[in-house]
Amino acid sequence: MNIPLLQTIVRRLEEAYGRQTRYSSKSPMDQLMATILSQRTNYADEMQAFTQMRTRFPTWEEVAAAPVAELEATIQPARFPELKAPRMQEVIRRIMADHNDLELKFLNDMTTEAAQAYLMSLPGVGYKTSTFVLLFSLRRPVLPVDTHVHRVSTRTGILPAKTSQEKAHILLLTMLPAEADELLNFHKLLFKHGQEICTFNFPRCRICMLKDVCAYYAATVEKTQEG
């Protein structure tokens, strides 16, 4: 783990993209369902599926009561609708049975740890999904580590190259201030950089503002140029 490097990267990404301050406008329940839809799906398809679902079924009770085949067809833009439709219905029914509160207001009365444990007890909700809800809608000090954040963190050398996505959540939290605003800023900066420059297949290393401090650049691009 390299805290000075992390601080350098945050500073440079802020210079490039600006400090990130925008939380989600979605309610916790909307964020939960949108994040389930987003799994292995790009943002545009996630939003199309979510919008179609809310148009066809304006309430979560209607989503839960819909014929599963109809719900699948409605969220078709998201990948694997045949898995996500029954999972979402099961989540809604479980929350209704546990708390009878489909706005998830009860999470406000829980500690961050208890709220995360409850969310992760729901079908198909893992660490990443729970942190999206807690940080973006409830402003709790947790850190979502999606594929972009994980890729930038391990390529640059903030974390060891072979660090798993699950372990990255834990390690990065020990390196960052335990404040929601700082964690939001870090997540969104690395997310933007992973989308625009440090992409999966064809990273744009030569125009990257981090290349002189990046382990991946030193080990691949510079080494190739020397050869």
Side-chain angles (χ1 to χ4, degrees):
M1 296 189 299
N2 192 329
I3 293 177
L5 176 61
L6 180 150
Q7 293 170 338
T8 296
I9 287 172
V10 169
R11 184 177 66 253
R12 290 193 186 181
L13 293 181
E14 283 185 349
E15 290 170 357
Y17 304 119
R19 183 167 175 84
Q20 304 297 300
T21 60
R22 185 179 177 183
Y23 288 89
S24 176
S25 60
K26 293 185 176 72
S27 70
M29 189 65 173
D30 284 7
Q31 185 70 57
L32 174 60
M33 292 299 167
T35 306
I36 292 173
L37 283 173
S38 76
Q39 293 166 0
R40 300 170 72 179
T41 298
N42 65 46
Y43 181 71
D45 290 342
E46 168 209 330
M47 288 304 298
Q48 184 181 352
F50 185 82
T51 300
Q52 289 180 183
M53 177 180 64
R54 295 313 307 269
T55 301
R56 176 67 185 84
F57 307 108
T59 70
W60 294 118
E61 289 87 352
E62 289 175 280
V63 173
V68 68
E70 189 173 345
L71 181 57
E72 282 179 32
T74 304
I75 64 169
Q76 190 68 42
R79 297 184 67 190
F80 307 107
E82 70 282 1
L83 299 178
K84 294 174 181 177
R87 179 174 296 164
M88 293 168 74
Q89 290 183 322
E90 192 176 351
V91 167
I92 295 167
R93 292 166 186 153
R94 169 77 178 280
I95 294 170
M96 282 296 293
D98 290 345
H99 293 280
N100 194 30
D101 174 13
L102 291 182
E103 294 184 16
L104 299 183
K105 289 182 179 179
F106 62 89
L107 294 177
N108 291 316
D109 299 323
M110 293 182 170
T111 64
T112 298
E113 293 74 16
Q116 185 155 29
Y118 178 76
L119 289 169
M120 290 179 65
S121 76
L122 298 172
V125 177
Y127 197 96
K128 185 179 79 170
T129 299
S130 68
T131 53
F132 267 92
V133 176
L134 291 169
L135 177 62
F136 290 124
S137 290
L138 295 172
R139 303 193 181 196
R140 299 293 185 93
V142 297
L143 179 65
V145 177
D146 60 14
T147 56
H148 298 297
V149 174
H150 181 244
R151 185 188 319 119
V152 176
S153 295
T154 53
R155 275 185 180 169
T156 56
I158 293 173
L159 297 176
K162 294 185 179 180
T163 303
S164 68
Q165 196 166 338
E166 292 73 20
K167 192 171 183 181
H169 286 99
I170 300 167
L171 294 177
L172 288 170
L173 275 175
T174 68
M175 302 170 71
L176 290 158
E179 302 168 12
D181 288 353
E182 297 300 328
L183 296 170
L184 176 85
N185 182 52
F186 179 82
H187 169 85
K188 288 201 161 190
L189 286 172
L190 270 68
F191 178 86
K192 280 179 175 289
H193 195 64
Q195 276 194 319
E196 297 180 17
I197 303 293
C198 194
T199 54
F200 178 73
N201 285 321
F202 302 105
R204 303 165 68 194
C205 294
R206 286 180 174 81
I207 65 167
C208 180
M209 70 290 291
L210 305 177
K211 64 184 179 183
D212 62 310
V213 296
C214 177
Y216 178 85
Y217 185 87
T220 56
V221 182
E222 281 186 349
K223 190 173 182 180
T224 301
Q225 289 172 343
E226 289 172 3

